[in-house]
Amino acid sequence: MAISFGTDGWRAVISDEFTFENVRRVAQAIAEVLLEKRAADRPGRPDELPLAVVGFDTRFLSDRYAAAVSEVLAANGLRVALAQADAPTPAISFAIPTLGAVGGIMITASHNPPRYNGIKLKSAFGGSAPVSDTRRVEERLTHNLAAGREPARMELEEAKAKGLVTRFDPFPAYAAHLRRLVDLEAIGRARLRIVVDAMYGAGRGYLRDLLAEAGAEVVEIRGEMNPGFNGIHPEPIARHLGPLLKMVPEGGFHLGLATVGDADRIGAVGPTGRFIDPHCIMTLALRYLVEIRQGHGAVVKTVSTTQMLNRLAVRYGLPLHETPVGFNYIGDLMLANDVLLGGEESGGITIKGHIPEGDGVLMGLLLAEIVARYGQSPEALLTGIMNEIGQFHYARNDFKVRPFDKKSLVSSLVALAPKQLAGIPLATINTRDGVKYLLEDDSWLLIRPSGTEPVLRVYAEAHTPETVQALLTEGRALADAAGV
């Protein structure tokens, strides 16, 4: 068994590698790391037992896995605040600093297929744990296995009776915080009609209730409990949003909003039925935060995210940072810098004033506010922006692959780099995460392996759809030539 944490936690197939036995082993290693960090932060202070927050999504057995994790943490001398029901990752993350916890664990596999489950480790500030912490968890896990050490365990009812495990509702504090970040009154004044697609995930009820509170007319679809997600892939991208893409234009709605399985990512649909991808959502948000809210600060994006943000950052005179894929990298920069907007291609986005954590609920509310304040559809707003900074189109292809060496892939792709792609001269090569070929006209091609599943991703952005497809074709050919 080789359990390792990827770009956003440990994920594995349920009943294969993701078993109660392995979950308890990982929880034991996490408990030891949290206690180590607590001792380092407060040497010589034997005050009350440290607190950890545990949450879970709607996946098969997630609530039971969360209970198992809580039993291990309690047996190791941690107090546990265990969510009383499934909840979004950002709501659990926000609870960590709010409750003064040393860290947290979220049981979720986010956008992965239903057969997967996973564990996300969160730091005391609410964002994803740094790589140094997850590596330490892996080391402790390996040490415990080699020593034959079994996880400590206290039955949940006993832990509750001793006051070591308490149940809590993360919604009230989280909702109060979002009300300070978003102008709900503006949404209400615009009398927006919105469809919310929960994709059977943990965002169910959260976004719907806050929009209804604002005064919008809201219909939620796929919000019932279905641990297998009714067979769908709970990722809010166009090919998984058939019902939303159909319902918004046919029903005359102003907006459709979809959240990933644990609601830390967002996708949207405009009134024409056009899918509004995260690149466009971030572009709309940056323009709004600067031009309407008069915001200031850096822009942080992952290597797979649109060049539209680069062009707007230049226009507004804002610093821009590009990171590897994974919100933990964005979070690190947000902790150290004044950041106005941080986000990634997959839909994890946040803004200044919030925890350094992708939040689909927050960004759904903000997109509704943007539409309300401008009085225009997302499509019309995007047309206006692209008329100013240039046309951009994007697509991504995913290919299932056998395990391979990432360093060898990068070396091969750099060696195979052509002088031009799709007839456009190559400007620079970025090997920060996979290999990104940036072209002279700001088009780009990125080839990188997923950090959470056995998939090779090929991304492209260009000024015409035809060029995007040409880049994707050349990207697949390059990957084949590199031996993937």
Side-chain angles (χ1 to χ4, degrees):
M1 182 186 64
I3 291 174
S4 61
F5 283 69
T7 53
D8 197 13
W10 167 51
R11 297 179 197 179
V13 175
I14 298 169
S15 295
D16 181 0
E17 186 178 335
F18 203 90
T19 63
F20 281 99
E21 182 179 37
N22 284 345
V23 166
R24 292 188 180 101
R25 287 169 171 164
V26 173
Q28 177 65 40
I30 290 174
E32 292 171 15
V33 170
L34 291 178
L35 289 169
E36 284 175 0
K37 289 176 67 67
R38 176 70 166 200
D41 291 342
R42 296 190 175 190
R45 293 182 60 182
D47 49 5
E48 66 177 357
L49 298 178
L51 174 70
V53 176
V54 177
F56 55 94
D57 68 4
T58 57
R59 285 173 184 266
F60 180 62
L61 293 177
S62 280
D63 58 335
R64 300 289 297 278
Y65 290 130
V69 165
S70 300
E71 291 177 338
V72 173
L73 297 181
N76 277 275
L78 287 128
R79 293 179 297 123
V80 179
L82 173 62
Q84 66 183 22
D86 57 271
T89 288
I92 297 300
S93 296
F94 182 74
I96 295 170
T98 301
L99 297 176
V102 294
I105 295 173
M106 179 69 185
I107 305 296
T108 180
S110 190
H111 68 282
N112 286 61
R115 66 182 181 277
Y116 284 82
N117 213 323
I119 288 177
K120 291 183 177 182
L121 178 60
K122 301 297 178 180
S123 289
F125 56 82
S128 296
V131 173
S132 59
D133 283 1
T134 57
R135 290 291 175 268
R136 184 64 180 143
V137 169
E138 292 169 357
E139 291 170 1
R140 294 303 309 169
L141 178 62
T142 300
H143 176 270
N144 290 343
L145 286 171
R149 181 184 180 190
E150 292 299 318
R153 183 180 177 187
M154 180 184 295
E155 290 294 333
L156 187 63
E157 291 307 313
E158 179 185 353
K160 289 165 67 177
K162 291 182 175 180
L164 291 173
V165 174
T166 55
R167 306 304 291 259
F168 83 108
D169 181 1
F171 181 77
Y174 173 67
H177 175 64
L178 294 189
R179 292 184 192 107
R180 293 189 288 270
L181 293 176
V182 180
D183 187 351
L184 296 184
E185 291 184 1
I187 297 172
R189 288 193 301 270
R191 299 185 179 277
L192 295 182
R193 301 183 67 242
I194 301 173
V195 184
V196 173
D197 186 353
M199 301 193 80
Y200 304 108
R204 62 198 189 113
Y206 274 67
L207 185 51
R208 177 199 66 199
D209 289 353
L210 285 164
L211 286 168
E213 175 189 320
E217 179 185 333
V218 189
V219 176
E220 183 181 68
I221 61 174
R222 301 198 287 192
E224 64 270 25
M225 172 62 83
N226 190 316
F229 300 104
N230 200 27
I232 70 166
H233 198 135
E235 183 179 13
I237 58 178
R239 67 175 175 268
H240 303 314
L241 296 177
L244 188 65
L245 289 164
K246 183 174 186 288
M247 187 172 181
V248 172
E250 288 186 358
F253 290 91
H254 296 101
L255 187 63
L257 299 167
T259 50
V260 74
D262 66 331
D264 68 346
R265 302 181 183 183
I266 186 73
V269 175
T272 65
R274 172 182 169 178
F275 175 62
I276 312 297
D277 65 31
H279 302 283
C280 293
I281 294 172
M282 282 183 272
T283 301
L284 290 171
L286 180 57
R287 182 194 188 199
Y288 179 75
L289 292 172
V290 174
E291 295 189 0
I292 302 299
R293 288 196 178 184
Q294 301 297 302
H296 299 279
V299 178
V300 182
K301 65 165 201 167
T302 56
V303 69
S304 58
T305 304
T306 180
Q307 289 293 112
M308 289 190 286
L309 294 177
N310 298 60
R311 292 196 173 184
L312 284 179
V314 170
R315 166 175 288 197
Y316 300 138
L318 303 177
L320 184 136
H321 307 277
E322 189 170 278
T323 75
V325 172
F327 209 92
N328 55 317
Y329 298 106
I330 296 172
D332 289 345
L333 281 168
M334 294 188 74
L335 289 172
N337 300 274
D338 177 25
V339 173
L340 179 62
L341 174 77
E344 52 185 348
E345 164 265 346
S346 59
I349 314 167
T350 193
I351 63 173
K352 182 188 289 191
H354 195 35
I355 55 173
E357 172 79 286
D359 193 333
V361 178
L362 166 64
M363 294 310 298
L365 292 170
L366 183 63
L367 186 54
E369 179 187 333
I370 291 168
V371 170
R373 288 288 299 275
Y374 280 116
Q376 298 182 60
S377 69
E379 294 94 328
L381 292 169
L382 287 167
T383 296
I385 292 174
M386 290 192 193
N387 285 341
E388 297 174 5
I389 66 171
Q391 297 293 316
F392 283 86
H393 301 269
Y394 163 87
R396 185 187 91 192
N397 288 336
D398 295 349
F399 303 95
K400 291 185 177 180
V401 291
R402 295 177 180 176
F404 60 89
D405 182 67
K406 185 174 180 178
K407 289 184 178 179
S408 297
L409 171 67
V410 170
S411 297
S412 296
L413 290 173
V414 170
L416 290 166
K419 293 183 179 180
Q420 61 180 28
L421 288 164
I424 307 166
L426 180 66
T428 61
I429 298 176
N430 181 336
T431 58
R432 187 168 293 149
D433 189 350
V435 176
K436 182 177 182 178
Y437 306 100
L438 182 63
L439 309 182
E440 286 187 355
D441 68 347
D442 270 350
S443 299
W444 53 271
L445 170 71
L446 171 65
I447 303 170
R448 63 173 291 275
S450 167
T452 59
E453 52 190 318
V455 165
L456 183 72
R457 304 197 194 281
V458 181
Y459 315 70
E461 184 178 52
H463 301 299
T464 68
E466 294 76 16
T467 306
V468 169
Q469 293 306 314
L471 288 172
L472 290 175
T473 298
E474 294 193 38
R476 177 70 253 198
L478 283 166
D480 287 341
V484 179

